[in-house]
Short mmCIF file of all heavy atoms in Angstrom, two decimals:
data_model
loop_
_atom_site.label_atom_id
_atom_site.label_comp_id
_atom_site.label_asym_id
_atom_site.label_seq_id
_atom_site.Cartn_x
_atom_site.Cartn_y
_atom_site.Cartn_z
N ARG A 1 -4.13 31.26 -4.20
CA ARG A 1 -5.53 31.59 -4.43
C ARG A 1 -6.43 30.51 -4.09
O ARG A 1 -7.52 30.67 -3.55
CB ARG A 1 -5.73 32.10 -5.82
CG ARG A 1 -7.08 32.55 -6.01
CD ARG A 1 -7.24 33.32 -7.29
NE ARG A 1 -8.56 33.86 -7.37
CZ ARG A 1 -9.10 34.61 -8.29
NH1 ARG A 1 -8.16 35.00 -9.17
NH2 ARG A 1 -10.22 35.07 -8.31
N HIS A 2 -6.18 29.32 -4.46
CA HIS A 2 -7.10 28.23 -4.45
C HIS A 2 -6.83 27.16 -3.47
O HIS A 2 -7.69 26.36 -3.18
CB HIS A 2 -7.18 27.50 -5.86
CG HIS A 2 -7.63 28.53 -6.95
ND1 HIS A 2 -8.87 29.07 -6.96
CD2 HIS A 2 -6.94 29.01 -7.94
CE1 HIS A 2 -8.95 29.91 -8.07
NE2 HIS A 2 -7.84 29.89 -8.66
N ALA A 3 -5.62 27.08 -2.89
CA ALA A 3 -5.34 25.95 -1.99
C ALA A 3 -5.89 26.14 -0.54
O ALA A 3 -6.40 27.25 -0.30
CB ALA A 3 -3.78 25.69 -1.99
N ARG A 4 -5.66 25.16 0.25
CA ARG A 4 -6.03 25.31 1.69
C ARG A 4 -4.77 25.18 2.45
O ARG A 4 -3.67 24.82 1.91
CB ARG A 4 -7.02 24.18 2.06
CG ARG A 4 -8.27 24.23 1.29
CD ARG A 4 -9.19 23.10 1.71
NE ARG A 4 -8.52 21.79 1.94
CZ ARG A 4 -9.05 20.67 1.69
NH1 ARG A 4 -10.22 20.58 1.29
NH2 ARG A 4 -8.36 19.54 1.90
N ARG A 5 -4.88 25.34 3.66
CA ARG A 5 -3.73 25.32 4.65
C ARG A 5 -2.84 26.54 4.49
O ARG A 5 -2.91 27.37 3.75
CB ARG A 5 -2.97 24.02 4.58
CG ARG A 5 -3.89 22.79 4.70
CD ARG A 5 -4.25 22.52 6.19
NE ARG A 5 -5.22 21.50 6.35
CZ ARG A 5 -4.99 20.30 6.75
NH1 ARG A 5 -3.71 19.96 7.05
NH2 ARG A 5 -5.95 19.39 6.94
N ALA A 6 -1.76 26.44 5.37
CA ALA A 6 -0.92 27.69 5.48
C ALA A 6 0.31 27.67 4.62
O ALA A 6 0.98 28.75 4.55
CB ALA A 6 -0.48 27.79 6.98
N SER A 7 0.68 26.55 3.90
CA SER A 7 1.96 26.54 3.22
C SER A 7 1.78 25.84 1.79
O SER A 7 0.77 25.09 1.65
CB SER A 7 3.04 25.92 3.98
OG SER A 7 2.82 24.59 4.23
N VAL A 8 2.68 26.04 0.99
CA VAL A 8 2.90 25.35 -0.36
C VAL A 8 4.37 24.86 -0.38
O VAL A 8 5.24 25.45 0.26
CB VAL A 8 2.45 26.24 -1.53
CG1 VAL A 8 0.97 26.57 -1.44
CG2 VAL A 8 3.37 27.39 -1.71
N ARG A 9 4.60 23.89 -1.22
CA ARG A 9 5.98 23.48 -1.40
C ARG A 9 6.28 23.67 -2.85
O ARG A 9 5.67 23.16 -3.79
CB ARG A 9 6.17 21.94 -1.06
CG ARG A 9 7.54 21.38 -1.13
CD ARG A 9 8.03 21.07 0.18
NE ARG A 9 9.36 20.58 0.24
CZ ARG A 9 10.26 21.19 1.04
NH1 ARG A 9 10.03 22.14 1.73
NH2 ARG A 9 11.54 20.71 0.90
N VAL A 10 7.45 24.32 -3.09
CA VAL A 10 8.00 24.65 -4.46
C VAL A 10 9.06 23.66 -4.70
O VAL A 10 9.99 23.51 -3.88
CB VAL A 10 8.36 26.10 -4.64
CG1 VAL A 10 9.00 26.26 -5.98
CG2 VAL A 10 7.28 27.07 -4.29
N ILE A 11 9.00 22.98 -5.87
CA ILE A 11 10.04 22.00 -6.18
C ILE A 11 10.64 22.26 -7.53
O ILE A 11 9.89 22.51 -8.47
CB ILE A 11 9.37 20.58 -6.17
CG1 ILE A 11 8.70 20.28 -4.84
CG2 ILE A 11 10.45 19.48 -6.59
CD1 ILE A 11 7.52 19.51 -4.97
N VAL A 12 11.92 22.26 -7.63
CA VAL A 12 12.58 22.49 -8.93
C VAL A 12 13.56 21.27 -9.15
O VAL A 12 14.40 21.01 -8.36
CB VAL A 12 13.50 23.74 -8.82
CG1 VAL A 12 14.12 24.03 -10.23
CG2 VAL A 12 12.65 24.94 -8.37
N GLU A 13 13.32 20.59 -10.25
CA GLU A 13 14.08 19.34 -10.60
C GLU A 13 14.60 19.48 -11.95
O GLU A 13 13.88 19.88 -12.88
CB GLU A 13 13.14 18.15 -10.45
CG GLU A 13 12.57 17.93 -9.06
CD GLU A 13 11.64 16.67 -9.00
OE1 GLU A 13 10.67 16.75 -9.82
OE2 GLU A 13 11.93 15.75 -8.27
N ARG A 14 15.80 18.89 -12.11
CA ARG A 14 16.28 18.66 -13.50
C ARG A 14 16.07 17.27 -13.90
O ARG A 14 16.68 16.34 -13.40
CB ARG A 14 17.76 19.07 -13.50
CG ARG A 14 18.45 19.11 -14.84
CD ARG A 14 19.89 19.61 -14.72
NE ARG A 14 20.45 19.70 -16.04
CZ ARG A 14 21.73 20.01 -16.20
NH1 ARG A 14 22.50 20.34 -15.09
NH2 ARG A 14 22.24 20.02 -17.38
N THR A 15 15.13 17.04 -14.74
CA THR A 15 14.71 15.69 -15.09
C THR A 15 15.49 15.08 -16.26
O THR A 15 15.50 13.91 -16.50
CB THR A 15 13.20 15.65 -15.41
OG1 THR A 15 12.94 16.50 -16.52
CG2 THR A 15 12.41 16.07 -14.12
N ALA A 16 16.19 15.95 -17.05
CA ALA A 16 17.13 15.52 -18.12
C ALA A 16 18.17 16.62 -18.28
O ALA A 16 18.05 17.64 -17.74
CB ALA A 16 16.27 15.33 -19.38
N GLN A 17 19.06 16.39 -19.20
CA GLN A 17 20.16 17.30 -19.34
C GLN A 17 19.69 18.73 -19.62
O GLN A 17 20.24 19.71 -19.11
CB GLN A 17 20.98 16.87 -20.54
CG GLN A 17 22.34 17.64 -20.73
CD GLN A 17 23.29 17.42 -19.54
OE1 GLN A 17 23.30 16.33 -18.91
NE2 GLN A 17 24.06 18.48 -19.20
N ARG A 18 18.56 18.87 -20.35
CA ARG A 18 18.12 20.30 -20.80
C ARG A 18 16.68 20.43 -20.40
O ARG A 18 15.98 21.27 -20.95
CB ARG A 18 18.25 20.44 -22.32
CG ARG A 18 19.54 20.20 -22.89
CD ARG A 18 20.66 21.21 -22.53
NE ARG A 18 20.37 22.57 -23.07
CZ ARG A 18 20.86 23.61 -22.59
NH1 ARG A 18 21.73 23.71 -21.61
NH2 ARG A 18 20.50 24.82 -23.11
N THR A 19 16.19 19.66 -19.45
CA THR A 19 14.75 19.73 -18.99
C THR A 19 14.68 19.98 -17.55
O THR A 19 15.28 19.38 -16.74
CB THR A 19 14.02 18.45 -19.44
OG1 THR A 19 14.13 18.11 -20.77
CG2 THR A 19 12.55 18.51 -19.14
N VAL A 20 13.80 21.00 -17.18
CA VAL A 20 13.54 21.30 -15.82
C VAL A 20 12.03 21.17 -15.50
O VAL A 20 11.21 21.56 -16.29
CB VAL A 20 13.94 22.77 -15.45
CG1 VAL A 20 13.58 23.18 -14.15
CG2 VAL A 20 15.53 22.86 -15.76
N ARG A 21 11.83 20.59 -14.37
CA ARG A 21 10.38 20.49 -13.98
C ARG A 21 10.14 21.43 -12.78
O ARG A 21 10.96 21.32 -11.80
CB ARG A 21 10.03 19.08 -13.51
CG ARG A 21 8.54 18.92 -13.01
CD ARG A 21 8.31 17.53 -12.62
NE ARG A 21 7.77 16.85 -13.85
CZ ARG A 21 6.79 16.01 -13.72
NH1 ARG A 21 6.24 15.68 -12.59
NH2 ARG A 21 6.32 15.39 -14.82
N LEU A 22 9.18 22.30 -12.85
CA LEU A 22 8.80 23.16 -11.78
C LEU A 22 7.48 22.63 -11.31
O LEU A 22 6.63 22.38 -11.98
CB LEU A 22 8.63 24.67 -12.21
CG LEU A 22 9.76 25.17 -13.10
CD1 LEU A 22 9.39 26.45 -13.73
CD2 LEU A 22 11.07 25.31 -12.17
N ALA A 23 7.29 22.58 -9.92
CA ALA A 23 6.16 22.10 -9.28
C ALA A 23 5.83 22.79 -8.02
O ALA A 23 6.72 23.33 -7.32
CB ALA A 23 6.43 20.54 -9.03
N VAL A 24 4.53 22.87 -7.86
CA VAL A 24 3.99 23.34 -6.57
C VAL A 24 3.05 22.37 -5.96
O VAL A 24 2.04 21.98 -6.62
CB VAL A 24 3.33 24.77 -6.74
CG1 VAL A 24 2.74 25.27 -5.42
CG2 VAL A 24 4.38 25.80 -7.30
N ALA A 25 3.35 22.07 -4.76
CA ALA A 25 2.53 21.02 -4.02
C ALA A 25 1.63 21.81 -2.99
O ALA A 25 2.24 22.72 -2.34
CB ALA A 25 3.32 19.91 -3.36
N ASP A 26 0.33 21.46 -2.90
CA ASP A 26 -0.44 22.02 -1.80
C ASP A 26 -1.48 20.94 -1.29
O ASP A 26 -1.52 19.84 -1.93
CB ASP A 26 -1.20 23.27 -2.33
CG ASP A 26 -2.08 23.02 -3.31
OD1 ASP A 26 -3.15 22.25 -3.06
OD2 ASP A 26 -1.98 23.52 -4.50
N LEU A 27 -2.06 21.25 -0.26
CA LEU A 27 -2.92 20.24 0.42
C LEU A 27 -4.38 20.27 -0.02
O LEU A 27 -5.29 19.70 0.59
CB LEU A 27 -2.83 20.47 1.95
CG LEU A 27 -1.46 20.31 2.47
CD1 LEU A 27 -1.42 20.53 3.99
CD2 LEU A 27 -0.88 18.88 2.18
N SER A 28 -4.68 20.92 -1.17
CA SER A 28 -6.01 20.81 -1.70
C SER A 28 -6.03 19.79 -2.85
O SER A 28 -5.11 19.69 -3.57
CB SER A 28 -6.40 22.19 -2.37
OG SER A 28 -7.53 22.16 -3.04
N ARG A 29 -7.14 18.99 -2.93
CA ARG A 29 -7.19 18.02 -3.92
C ARG A 29 -7.97 18.53 -5.19
O ARG A 29 -8.19 17.80 -6.11
CB ARG A 29 -7.81 16.72 -3.45
CG ARG A 29 -6.89 16.18 -2.42
CD ARG A 29 -7.11 14.74 -2.12
NE ARG A 29 -8.50 14.37 -1.88
CZ ARG A 29 -8.83 13.14 -1.65
NH1 ARG A 29 -7.99 12.26 -1.37
NH2 ARG A 29 -10.16 12.80 -1.47
N THR A 30 -8.37 19.74 -5.14
CA THR A 30 -9.01 20.41 -6.30
C THR A 30 -7.99 20.75 -7.36
O THR A 30 -7.15 21.55 -7.06
CB THR A 30 -9.85 21.66 -5.86
OG1 THR A 30 -10.73 21.27 -4.84
CG2 THR A 30 -10.61 22.32 -6.99
N GLY A 31 -8.11 20.17 -8.54
CA GLY A 31 -7.17 20.40 -9.55
C GLY A 31 -7.40 21.72 -10.32
O GLY A 31 -8.43 22.36 -10.29
N PRO A 32 -6.28 22.11 -11.01
CA PRO A 32 -6.39 23.45 -11.79
C PRO A 32 -7.34 23.24 -13.01
O PRO A 32 -7.44 22.18 -13.55
CB PRO A 32 -4.94 23.62 -12.24
CG PRO A 32 -4.35 22.26 -12.27
CD PRO A 32 -5.01 21.47 -11.22
N VAL A 33 -8.02 24.41 -13.20
CA VAL A 33 -8.93 24.29 -14.30
C VAL A 33 -8.64 25.55 -15.29
O VAL A 33 -8.82 26.69 -15.01
CB VAL A 33 -10.41 24.35 -13.92
CG1 VAL A 33 -11.37 24.43 -15.10
CG2 VAL A 33 -10.78 23.38 -12.92
N PRO A 34 -8.08 25.17 -16.50
CA PRO A 34 -7.86 26.32 -17.47
C PRO A 34 -9.19 26.99 -17.86
O PRO A 34 -10.15 26.22 -18.01
CB PRO A 34 -7.10 25.62 -18.61
CG PRO A 34 -6.70 24.24 -18.10
CD PRO A 34 -7.60 23.90 -16.99
N CYS A 35 -9.07 28.18 -18.03
CA CYS A 35 -10.30 28.77 -18.54
C CYS A 35 -9.97 29.94 -19.58
O CYS A 35 -8.83 30.24 -19.83
CB CYS A 35 -11.06 29.50 -17.37
SG CYS A 35 -10.14 30.78 -16.47
N LEU A 36 -10.92 30.40 -20.30
CA LEU A 36 -10.76 31.39 -21.26
C LEU A 36 -11.47 32.67 -20.81
O LEU A 36 -12.72 32.80 -20.89
CB LEU A 36 -11.44 30.96 -22.65
CG LEU A 36 -10.60 29.86 -23.32
CD1 LEU A 36 -11.42 29.41 -24.57
CD2 LEU A 36 -9.26 30.27 -23.70
N PRO A 37 -10.77 33.52 -20.12
CA PRO A 37 -11.37 34.76 -19.65
C PRO A 37 -11.79 35.76 -20.71
O PRO A 37 -11.22 35.64 -21.82
CB PRO A 37 -10.22 35.31 -18.77
CG PRO A 37 -8.96 34.86 -19.36
CD PRO A 37 -9.22 33.55 -19.98
N GLY A 38 -12.71 36.47 -20.44
CA GLY A 38 -13.12 37.57 -21.31
C GLY A 38 -12.05 38.60 -21.55
O GLY A 38 -11.04 38.69 -20.81
N LEU A 39 -12.17 39.46 -22.58
CA LEU A 39 -11.15 40.39 -22.91
C LEU A 39 -10.95 41.47 -21.77
O LEU A 39 -9.82 41.94 -21.59
CB LEU A 39 -11.56 41.22 -24.19
CG LEU A 39 -11.54 40.31 -25.43
CD1 LEU A 39 -12.10 41.17 -26.59
CD2 LEU A 39 -10.14 39.85 -25.76
N ASN A 40 -11.94 41.81 -21.02
CA ASN A 40 -11.84 42.79 -20.00
C ASN A 40 -11.51 42.22 -18.62
O ASN A 40 -11.34 42.94 -17.61
CB ASN A 40 -13.07 43.66 -19.97
CG ASN A 40 -13.33 44.44 -21.19
OD1 ASN A 40 -12.42 44.87 -21.84
ND2 ASN A 40 -14.55 44.58 -21.59
N GLU A 41 -11.44 40.86 -18.48
CA GLU A 41 -11.10 40.31 -17.24
C GLU A 41 -9.62 40.40 -16.92
O GLU A 41 -8.81 40.12 -17.80
CB GLU A 41 -11.62 38.80 -17.20
CG GLU A 41 -13.06 38.72 -17.24
CD GLU A 41 -13.68 37.25 -17.16
OE1 GLU A 41 -13.14 36.51 -16.20
OE2 GLU A 41 -14.37 36.86 -17.99
#
């Protein structure tokens, strides 16, 4: 929805015995902004 360019990179890493890191890389430098949507949104 928010990135630019034609592709994204999905990365799945096991950083410790019981820990997994999921990541998505894209070419936009605009960071994610958590929001509080209204009840009807």
Side-chain angles (χ1 to χ4, degrees):
R1 183 169 183 173
H2 299 291
R4 301 182 315 211
R5 304 283 172 105
S7 64
V8 298
R9 184 115 183 123
V10 177
I11 304 145
V12 185
E13 299 176 301
R14 187 174 180 184
T15 58
Q17 189 68 29
R18 305 291 295 162
T19 305
V20 174
R21 177 180 270 219
L22 310 171
V24 176
D26 66 63
L27 299 176
S28 169
R29 295 198 317 182
T30 303
V33 179
C35 60
L36 292 173
L39 292 175
N40 295 326
E41 293 182 49

